[in-house]
Amino acid sequence: MAAWARAVRGLLLDVSGVLYDSGDGGGVPIAGSVEAVSRIKASGLKLRFCTNETQATREEFVKKLQGLGFDISVAEVTAPAPAACRILKERNLRPHLLVHDDLVPEFAGIDKTNPNCVVIGDAAENFTYANLNEAFRVLIGMEKPVLISLGRGRYYKETDGLKLDVGAYMKALEYACDIEAEVVGKPAKMFFESALAEMGVPPQQAIMIGDDIVNDVGGAQQCGMRALQVRTGKYRPCDESHPHVKPDAYVNNLAEAVDVILQQV
Amino acid sequence: MAAWARAVRGLLLDVSGVLYDSGDGGGVPIAGSVEAVSRIKASGLKLRFCTNETQATREEFVKKLQGLGFDISVAEVTAPAPAACRILKERNLRPHLLVHDDLVPEFAGIDKTNPNCVVIGDAAENFTYANLNEAFRVLIGMEKPVLISLGRGRYYKETDGLKLDVGAYMKALEYACDIEAEVVGKPAKMFFESALAEMGVPPQQAIMIGDDIVNDVGGAQQCGMRALQVRTGKYRPCDESHPHVKPDAYVNNLAEAVDVILQQV
């Protein structure tokens, strides 16, 4: 019996590095993950996909995952862009966007004239020297610069190698402007809490499964959830000696985690 | 009598934002600066140009300034790339370079095969998404990543606006790899000390004049020099309420500083 797997009613799954490895042509599923998602759904456990993905609208993102064979729908996905849109509306913020072209439609209902904040996501190829200078100039021109970052990931793995994530570019702008960004997405507590609320499961009965020791595991644990790190995606052996974060368990991959959890249910 | 100008034997001048504003076509001299440099030289004061410029070799940089009318020679310039080359040789480091194309010749005598460190300078248009990912992969692949940064400036002013400086990109790589860069150039103490040694003037008898409150003023003061901030270049009024650094005096521009100093000599 694995103690960490007891009394669970809901699972939160990170997507990139847990379900699939992203990359050109949409990426490839991680072995056993398609079946693992189906088994979770068949078990009656509550399930939520909790991603910092900001390279596409949720619609496009879900379509891609469906194409890889996953049983997933838009309504099951918690992602940073819609959370950011709620904040922008609440605070009358008009963003200058430094995001991936494919994410722009998520901000369709938002006034973007005469910007009074910058929203940065994983802009990938849009992280050009010119675009970074432009976002910097918008920020430095404000009396009190407001930078909203869709996640704070350091890097992620695509099929052709590791790529810098939004957090690195967030740090560049933070340093240049001497400010601190507001992070929407993992590991922000509010982001996990909204995913739990959408599932209707308290943190004590939920397990987060991710490949990111800080953003997935550390963030979820700070909300009172258990958290597993998978040894897929961006996992590196040195994560196991992380100075601050210790997962409730390591599993080789999602399929193995689901095996153990479903034995307890 | 200005107390800050007493008993001075040597001046260290920052270049960009003090002598000229850089930009397309080479930039433009700041009013009065060409004459101010000539007057310093005629006065018999020791003079050193102390720059974090890494967009060109010293030869090209000096040629550009001569073209703008300045009396300056390569032997009078203290710059980060030669200082970095000394460190690379001393420690048997073979760099992967993320620098401006025009700086590459400074590293001509350095072995760059099978890199065991990354050197980052103000790469400007070379700060592409692909190049940043590549430098990151080289670093993250090392057991103990070594990142040497030619300066840690936040931003600078060109004729077409503010640009992110090397410090911002240094921070991105530091964050992604969870490391701290070694900074060569201002505000590193060793850099100012080598400029003073080249002049043969002790810090108590030297004044640094710059537009950067942290890298010029703060760095020089930490070496025991006096330091002035000019209200040209990247100067912003809010610098005058900086929480940590207070210049010995503000001057509107280099010409005004030289007026005051030469009255005391």
Side-chain angles (χ1 to χ4, degrees):
Chain A
M1 290 273 288
W4 59 261
R6 284 184 192 148
V8 58
R9 283 185 47 226
L11 298 182
L12 292 84
L13 303 189
D14 178 31
V15 179
S16 177
V18 175
L19 265 50
Y20 81 120
D21 281 319
S22 57
D24 286 344
V28 293
I30 291 169
S33 290
V34 169
E35 300 73 21
V37 169
S38 300
R39 292 173 65 202
I40 296 166
K41 291 202 165 179
S43 75
L45 285 175
K46 302 269 187 170
L47 176 60
R48 191 92 201 148
F49 301 96
C50 194
T51 179
N52 271 8
E53 168 68 37
T54 58
Q55 283 204 5
T57 59
R58 280 162 303 165
E59 284 73 13
E60 289 299 321
F61 182 58
V62 161
K63 202 183 293 175
K64 180 175 75 175
L65 290 164
Q66 288 170 340
L68 295 175
F70 290 100
D71 178 1
I72 181 172
S73 68
V74 171
E76 295 170 312
V77 175
T78 300
C85 286
R86 284 194 295 275
I87 290 172
L88 294 170
K89 282 178 185 161
E90 277 166 24
R91 288 163 54 187
N92 291 314
L93 291 171
R94 300 177 304 277
H96 170 90
L97 298 177
L98 177 51
V99 301
H100 198 284
D101 288 345
D102 294 343
L103 192 71
V104 173
E106 292 270 16
F107 296 88
I110 302 288
D111 180 8
K112 291 178 279 290
T113 56
N114 188 20
N116 57 3
C117 77
V118 168
V119 171
I120 183 174
D122 176 16
E125 303 290 344
N126 276 348
F127 280 132
T128 63
Y129 180 62
N131 286 348
L132 282 159
N133 282 333
E134 193 186 352
F136 164 67
R137 284 180 208 138
V138 171
L139 281 171
I140 203 79
M142 296 174 194
E143 200 178 337
K144 259 182 88 84
V146 174
L147 174 61
I148 294 176
S149 187
L150 306 179
R152 55 179 298 140
R154 293 168 190 268
Y155 58 89
Y156 54 88
K157 191 181 166 192
E158 294 211 322
T159 45
D160 60 344
L162 298 173
K163 304 270 170 88
L164 289 170
D165 199 358
V166 60
Y169 294 96
M170 173 193 85
K171 283 287 167 186
L173 291 174
E174 282 187 342
Y175 176 73
C177 301
D178 199 14
I179 57 170
E180 205 168 317
E182 302 174 36
V183 177
V184 178
K186 299 177 284 185
K189 202 169 179 184
M190 201 195 281
F191 192 71
F192 285 108
E193 285 171 349
S194 87
L196 287 167
E198 286 154 340
M199 292 166 74
V201 171
Q204 302 78 12
Q205 299 183 345
I207 297 178
M208 171 79 206
I209 303 175
D211 65 337
D212 188 312
I213 182 74
V214 171
N215 290 304
D216 294 327
V217 175
Q221 287 178 331
Q222 287 200 334
C223 290
M225 277 183 261
R226 285 160 277 174
L228 312 184
Q229 190 178 10
V230 289
R231 294 196 181 99
T232 55
K234 81 175 98 175
Y235 162 85
R236 297 193 306 152
C238 64
D239 290 343
E240 303 204 15
S241 48
H242 192 280
H244 306 306
V245 183
K246 191 175 156 47
D248 291 270
Y250 284 97
V251 288
N252 285 317
N253 49 51
L254 177 64
E256 184 182 304
V258 171
D259 278 345
V260 177
I261 291 165
L262 294 187
Q263 284 169 23
Q264 321 278 320
V265 175
Chain B
M1 292 272 290
W4 59 262
R6 285 183 193 149
V8 57
R9 282 184 49 225
L11 297 182
L12 291 84
L13 303 189
D14 178 32
V15 178
S16 177
V18 175
L19 266 50
Y20 81 120
D21 281 320
S22 58
D24 286 344
V28 292
I30 291 170
S33 290
V34 170
E35 299 75 20
V37 169
S38 300
R39 291 173 65 203
I40 296 166
K41 293 202 164 181
S43 74
L45 285 175
K46 301 268 187 171
L47 176 60
R48 192 93 200 147
F49 300 96
C50 193
T51 179
N52 272 8
E53 168 67 38
T54 59
Q55 284 205 3
T57 59
R58 280 162 302 163
E59 284 72 14
E60 288 300 320
F61 182 58
V62 161
K63 202 184 291 176
K64 180 175 75 175
L65 290 165
Q66 289 169 340
L68 294 175
F70 289 99
D71 178 1
I72 182 172
S73 68
V74 170
E76 295 169 313
V77 175
T78 301
C85 287
R86 283 195 295 274
I87 290 172
L88 295 170
K89 283 178 185 161
E90 276 166 24
R91 289 163 52 188
N92 290 316
L93 291 170
R94 299 177 306 276
H96 171 90
L97 298 177
L98 178 50
V99 301
H100 198 284
D101 288 344
D102 294 343
L103 192 70
V104 173
E106 292 269 16
F107 296 88
I110 302 287
D111 180 8
K112 292 180 280 289
T113 57
N114 188 19
N116 58 2
C117 78
V118 168
V119 171
I120 183 174
D122 176 16
E125 303 289 345
N126 276 349
F127 280 132
T128 63
Y129 180 61
N131 285 348
L132 283 159
N133 282 333
E134 193 186 352
F136 164 67
R137 283 180 209 138
V138 171
L139 281 171
I140 204 79
M142 296 174 195
E143 201 179 337
K144 257 182 89 87
V146 174
L147 174 61
I148 294 176
S149 186
L150 306 180
R152 55 179 300 141
R154 293 167 190 268
Y155 57 89
Y156 54 86
K157 191 181 165 190
E158 295 210 321
T159 45
D160 60 344
L162 297 174
K163 304 268 170 87
L164 290 170
D165 199 357
V166 60
Y169 293 95
M170 172 193 86
K171 283 287 166 187
L173 292 174
E174 282 188 341
Y175 177 73
C177 301
D178 199 15
I179 57 169
E180 204 168 318
E182 302 175 37
V183 177
V184 178
K186 299 177 286 187
K189 203 170 178 185
M190 201 196 281
F191 192 70
F192 284 109
E193 285 170 349
S194 86
L196 287 168
E198 286 153 341
M199 293 167 74
V201 171
Q204 301 78 11
Q205 298 183 343
I207 297 179
M208 172 79 205
I209 303 175
D211 66 336
D212 187 311
I213 183 74
V214 171
N215 291 303
D216 294 327
V217 175
Q221 288 179 331
Q222 288 200 333
C223 289
M225 278 183 261
R226 284 160 277 175
L228 311 183
Q229 189 178 11
V230 290
R231 294 194 181 99
T232 55
K234 82 176 95 173
Y235 162 86
R236 295 193 307 153
C238 64
D239 290 342
E240 304 205 14
S241 47
H242 192 280
H244 306 305
V245 183
K246 191 175 155 50
D248 291 270
Y250 284 97
V251 288
N252 285 318
N253 50 51
L254 177 63
E256 184 182 304
V258 171
D259 278 345
V260 177
I261 291 166
L262 294 188
Q263 284 170 22
Q264 321 278 321
V265 176

